[in-house]
Amino acid sequence: MEFPGTNITGNYGIGDQVTALQWTINNIAAFGGDPNQITIVGSSAGGASVRTLLGSPPAIGKFQGGIAQSSLGGGVTLGLPSNYATSYASYLSIQEGYELAGQQIFHGAGCNATNLDKQIACLAAYDPVALVGLPTIADKVVQDGTFVNTEQLIVTERNASTAHVPVIFGTAADDGSSFSTYPKGNNITSELEGIQVELGISEYYAQSIIDSGLFPYYDTGNKTLDSFNVSQRVATDTQFRCIDEATVYAGAVSGAFERAYYYQSQRTEYGYDPNNLGGPSVTPGYPYGNPNLPYFRVHGSDNGWSFENLPVFRDAADLYSLQLEGSYYSWFAKTGEPNAPLAYLKARGYQTVIEGQRASGPWDPVQGMQGPVKLLDWPSVSSDFIDKPQCAFLNYSLTYYVDGGI
């Protein structure tokens, strides 16, 4: 929580993370670790925390690499609701944060005294468990002048404002499927209606998506599913993919980041699935679902690959992709680049992964408008940045930061 005109300035979650980093520096040697080789990793809001820490003065110097997975950041386009994702990459003033969250929290907690001291006292006495259950919570990053002192992460130049370290950014292929609404009952009668309902936008903006021709409608006969495929792609682009691609591109070409890598997860398992979309269909020989069939790669469903820990293996490719991606992340944490040498893979007994890595080619850092991007799967392949025309249409072009955020 933050309050204008007081010394209560917010960002206490970020402050706790900086404290945890310092604790790690002070104590990691006792666990056999190197206090000068720390990589911060986060997914979703955790990815946004990595983004924030990359530009946080007290945090800079306390880590040597960062991995931001499915970091939210976009949303202000085509009439889409903007308060949720946008504030994770565009930091509010204390006044803006108070107006967005503070006043509603006071009202929800019944702390409506006109005197600020009485309001704060009322809130301090409120049940904290009930407080975090209110419809509005104080979860926004604000420019408090200590942990955050810029409006956004500076990626257009190399300076002391941004940690000059190697980074990895990326998303699950269908992150937005968790943040658009799948209508129940399959009652959607047209693509236009579906996009309106699923994204919560006006008919005008829904029609503009259709008219763009950039988000193809595949007619399977199920209009609810078909329109949702369009909507979730728009949501993926606006809230995740476009802003993260623009961040990595700008940070790479400007030198703000020492090196910058980008990925998209093509093979995933269980994640945040409020629409109950489920994974791939069960077929003979695949009791946990056949990953070779189409399915939504929902938000957070690639996290298991980061630490080589999956609840189930659906086929051999799950195991091999797990080993391959785990070696990418572990070697990046050790050295700041993801391509593990053959000796490391041999020591782990990853002979099949060696063959897969050779077939895939190295995971190269972003160099320019063409990326490259690593599409993580088995086998993994390299690609250009994904959905560049779509991102430009949504006002989050690849050069969004280079062009001044327009």
Side-chain angles (χ1 to χ4, degrees):
M1 179 65 72
E2 58 284 332
F3 298 100
T6 74
N7 62 354
I8 303 173
T9 55
N11 288 342
Y12 299 114
I14 300 299
D16 286 348
Q17 292 168 9
V18 174
T19 299
L21 275 170
Q22 188 60 56
W23 186 95
T24 303
I25 291 168
N26 295 343
N27 294 281
I28 195 64
F31 298 90
D34 183 350
N36 297 308
Q37 194 56 57
I38 295 170
T39 297
I40 54 175
V41 186
S43 175
S44 190
S49 289
V50 170
R51 183 189 191 96
T52 303
L53 292 170
L54 285 166
S56 174
I60 293 174
K62 288 182 167 62
F63 57 89
Q64 287 69 48
I67 302 174
Q69 301 175 307
S70 298
S71 175
L72 303 106
V76 186
T77 183
L78 294 181
L80 292 170
S82 62
N83 288 343
Y84 180 67
T86 310
S87 59
Y88 284 98
S90 183
Y91 309 135
L92 306 172
S93 69
I94 291 175
Q95 181 66 42
E96 289 170 334
Y98 176 73
E99 291 173 355
L100 185 63
Q103 292 174 326
Q104 292 92 325
I105 290 173
F106 278 135
H107 178 73
C111 300
N112 296 317
T114 56
N115 180 281
L116 183 59
D117 290 337
K118 290 182 179 179
Q119 285 182 317
I120 295 173
C122 173
L123 205 61
Y126 197 78
D127 178 4
V129 175
L131 187 66
V132 298
L134 293 175
T136 301
I137 59 175
D139 61 348
K140 311 304 180 189
V141 178
V142 296
Q143 301 168 53
D144 68 316
T146 300
F147 295 105
V148 175
N149 59 9
T150 59
E151 185 177 350
Q152 59 190 12
L153 181 66
I154 307 300
V155 289
T156 53
E157 59 180 309
R158 179 179 175 180
N159 59 36
S161 172
T162 299
H164 184 65
V165 298
V167 299
I168 294 175
F169 276 68
T171 66
D174 305 308
D175 263 314
S177 61
S178 303
F179 295 89
S180 44
T181 301
Y182 193 97
K184 300 297 185 282
N186 291 328
N187 294 322
I188 295 300
T189 59
S190 69
E191 179 186 10
L192 179 63
E193 178 192 4
I195 294 172
Q196 284 183 257
V197 171
E198 292 149 6
L199 293 177
I201 59 178
S202 70
E203 180 180 344
Y204 173 84
Y205 286 118
Q207 188 64 53
S208 72
I209 291 171
I210 296 171
D211 292 344
S212 74
L214 294 169
F215 302 92
Y217 177 80
Y218 299 102
D219 189 356
T220 68
N222 183 337
K223 290 184 171 58
T224 303
L225 174 63
D226 295 340
S227 61
F228 184 79
N229 266 302
V230 174
S231 299
Q232 72 85 19
R233 183 175 176 184
V234 172
T236 297
D237 283 348
T238 54
Q239 298 187 57
F240 298 94
R241 180 185 288 130
C242 298
I243 203 74
D244 286 349
E245 287 186 345
T247 297
V248 168
Y249 168 73
V253 299
S254 70
F257 299 137
E258 184 177 342
R259 287 181 302 281
Y261 301 87
Y262 199 86
Y263 73 86
Q264 177 169 289
S265 291
Q266 306 287 92
R267 175 177 288 265
T268 69
E269 276 200 3
Y270 306 104
Y272 176 53
D273 189 12
N275 289 306
N276 196 29
L277 299 170
S281 300
V282 172
T283 62
Y286 293 92
Y288 299 109
N290 185 344
N292 303 302
L293 299 176
Y295 63 100
F296 291 106
R297 281 74 170 174
V298 300
H299 187 61
S301 59
D302 57 343
N303 289 349
W305 275 258
S306 307
F307 298 100
E308 297 188 48
N309 182 21
L310 292 182
V312 298
F313 288 101
R314 300 161 298 188
D315 61 8
D318 274 354
L319 173 62
Y320 299 141
S321 66
L322 187 77
Q323 294 173 340
L324 174 63
E325 293 178 39
S327 69
Y328 283 147
Y329 288 121
S330 60
W331 198 252
F332 178 86
K334 182 176 178 63
T335 68
E337 74 99 7
N339 300 294
L342 294 182
Y344 174 80
L345 297 174
K346 287 179 179 177
R348 301 194 72 184
Y350 286 179
Q351 185 58 44
T352 302
V353 171
I354 291 173
E355 297 167 5
Q357 184 171 278
R358 285 172 173 163
S360 172
W363 185 354
D364 291 324
V366 171
Q367 301 291 333
M369 295 285 287
Q370 306 307 314
V373 171
K374 186 63 77 172
L375 303 181
L376 298 176
D377 201 341
W378 186 262
S380 294
V381 297
S382 295
S383 167
D384 190 359
F385 277 119
I386 296 169
D387 277 11
K388 287 192 292 186
Q390 288 78 7
C391 290
F393 168 74
L394 294 166
N395 299 320
Y396 286 115
S397 71
L398 194 60
T399 57
Y400 176 79
Y401 288 109
V402 175
D403 295 338
I406 56 175

